[in-house]
Amino acid sequence: MHRNIDTVDRTIRGVLGIWLLVTGIAALRDEQPTKAATLGTAGVGLVVNWYTGFCGGNALFGIDTSMGESRE
C-alpha cells in the first residue's frame, strides 16, 4: 500500500477519529450500544487511515491527495 492522503487530510482524520472514539465510549456508558458501535467503528476506521496514510475509499475512486509527498 502506498500513501494516498496528505498531511492535512491525515491530521483531520486523526482528530475526527479520536473524537468519534471518545463519543462512542460516552454512548456506551449511556447504554446506547448501537450508537456506540457505529461511532466506534467509524472512529477506528479514521484512526487507521491516519496511522497508515492510506484510504481504501480514495484508492477505489482513484483519488490521491498526497501529491509531492514521499511515499512509503
Side-chain angles (χ1 to χ4, degrees):
M1 278 187 287
H2 69 277
R3 291 186 178 195
N4 64 358
I5 56 177
D6 69 350
T7 306
V8 174
D9 196 5
R10 285 182 73 187
T11 303
I12 292 169
R13 290 170 191 253
V15 170
L16 185 58
I18 291 169
W19 179 77
L20 286 171
L21 286 172
V22 170
T23 306
I25 292 168
L28 188 60
R29 293 186 67 184
D30 287 341
E31 298 178 4
Q32 298 175 343
T34 304
K35 185 184 288 186
T38 303
L39 293 170
T41 302
V44 167
L46 288 175
V47 169
V48 168
N49 287 166
W50 163 79
Y51 182 74
T52 63
F54 177 79
C55 176
N58 282 7
L60 182 66
F61 292 111
I63 300 169
D64 187 353
T65 62
S66 68
M67 306 282 188
E69 293 189 10
S70 63
R71 296 181 183 211
E72 295 178 12

